[in-house]
Amino acid sequence: MNKPVMVERIAEASPRPRARITGVVYLLYFLTAVFSMLFLKGLVVYGDAASTANNILVHQPLFRLGIATGLIATACYVAVTALFYDLFKPVNRSLSLLAAFISLVGCAILAFASVFQLAPLVVLGGSQYLSVFKVEQLRALASLFLELYGQGVSICFVFFGVYCLLIGYLIFKSSFLPRILGVLMAFAGLGWLTFLFPPLADYLSPYNLALGFLAELALMLWLLVMGVDVQRWKEQARAA
């Protein structure tokens, strides 16, 4: 197949189903992420290793469920990343690819950090080889692993901050989505980037987190309900 025919077929393919699919997968990400937070809410008591260890042991199935849904949310975001790459290729293929790469790195860091989230279950599991440690030491070790998980989450937020900035720029430069969504995503990216300096992120919390949540929620709802301007997407696809 020669190149002009390929370009013509790409331009003629309607992006509306893909936009709606992106919205659906985005919604699945939101639901699993929110449920993960709800399952884990109150189990980790920062600064109190004894209470944290007791909560994890008493509510072990809930703790495992929270981790599992969190991993599903990460997988959904990987899918969203791939769908966004395809959606924004007509705007700037290289920038869309860069954004996808950065997001996937963030997702990989978050998935790896989940190992530290699972570690307290092993440490507090009562295995025979752990009997050489005192109870207080095991509790402290469990809290240490959870702290390392928190550090991993902060690092991945930085990558997601850059990703949101790039997606915001791509939306703003596109002609098939409202520019206000791009502005909101850019501000969300700036909010995530506060995690470059954790004391600043803690000072601005929860406003920096709420900004990112609202911006991505607005984008998800727009894709789910409105989709994209098909004609303008095709025009940019032909131009690309």
Side-chain angles (χ1 to χ4, degrees), residues 171-172 174 176-183 222 227:
I171 293 174
F172 192 83
S174 75
F176 49 81
L177 284 172
R179 287 188 168 184
I180 185 61
L181 293 176
V183 174
W222 186 275

Side-chain angles (χ1 to χ4, degrees), residues 13-234:
S14 176
R16 183 165 292 162
R18 279 175 284 176
R20 294 287 166 77
I21 290 171
T22 304
V24 170
V25 178
Y26 220 163
L27 176 61
L28 290 174
Y29 160 71
F30 269 94
L31 291 175
T32 50
V34 169
F35 276 117
S36 177
M37 289 187 291
L38 290 176
F39 292 146
L40 296 173
K41 185 178 181 181
L43 295 184
V44 178
V45 183
Y46 292 99
D48 191 339
S51 295
T52 298
N54 183 64
N55 289 340
I56 291 174
L57 290 174
V58 172
H59 304 287
Q60 190 172 150
L62 197 62
F63 188 72
R64 290 181 181 276
L65 187 59
I67 296 173
T69 50
L71 288 171
I72 294 171
T74 302
C76 288
Y77 207 80
V78 169
V80 169
T81 298
L83 290 165
F84 271 167
Y85 165 71
D86 185 60
L87 188 65
F88 292 113
K89 275 193 301 184
V91 182
N92 189 316
R93 186 186 185 93
S94 298
L95 203 59
S96 184
L97 182 62
L98 176 63
F101 174 76
I102 290 172
S103 178
L104 291 176
V105 171
C107 290
I109 292 172
L110 187 56
F112 178 76
S114 297
V115 174
F116 295 111
Q117 198 178 21
L118 280 167
L121 292 172
V122 178
V123 171
L124 301 171
S127 298
Q128 184 63 35
Y129 65 88
L130 293 172
S131 60
V132 296
F133 296 99
K134 296 180 180 178
V135 173
E136 292 78 9
Q137 291 175 321
L138 292 174
R139 289 173 176 175
L141 190 58
S143 292
L144 173 62
F145 281 127
L146 291 172
E147 179 65 26
L148 289 173
Y149 168 74
Q151 294 295 325
V153 171
S154 295
I155 293 170
C156 81
F157 277 166
V158 175
F159 283 90
F160 291 143
V162 177
Y163 178 64
C164 286
L165 281 174
L166 292 175
I167 291 297
Y169 175 80
L170 289 169
I171 293 174
F172 192 83
K173 295 295 290 183
S174 75
S175 58
F176 49 81
L177 284 172
R179 287 188 168 184
I180 185 61
L181 293 176
V183 174
L184 289 174
M185 287 296 287
F187 277 115
L190 292 175
W192 296 130
L193 285 176
T194 58
F195 284 87
L196 280 168
F197 187 59
L200 177 62
D202 291 339
Y203 178 77
L204 294 176
S205 181
Y207 305 107
N208 53 347
L209 299 174
L211 187 62
F213 176 80
L214 292 174
E216 294 204 65
L217 179 64
L219 178 57
M220 181 271 291
L221 290 174
W222 186 275
L223 291 171
L224 195 61
V225 178
M226 303 300 295
V228 297
D229 188 315
V230 175
Q231 187 59 39
R232 291 184 176 180
W233 187 92
K234 288 181 178 180

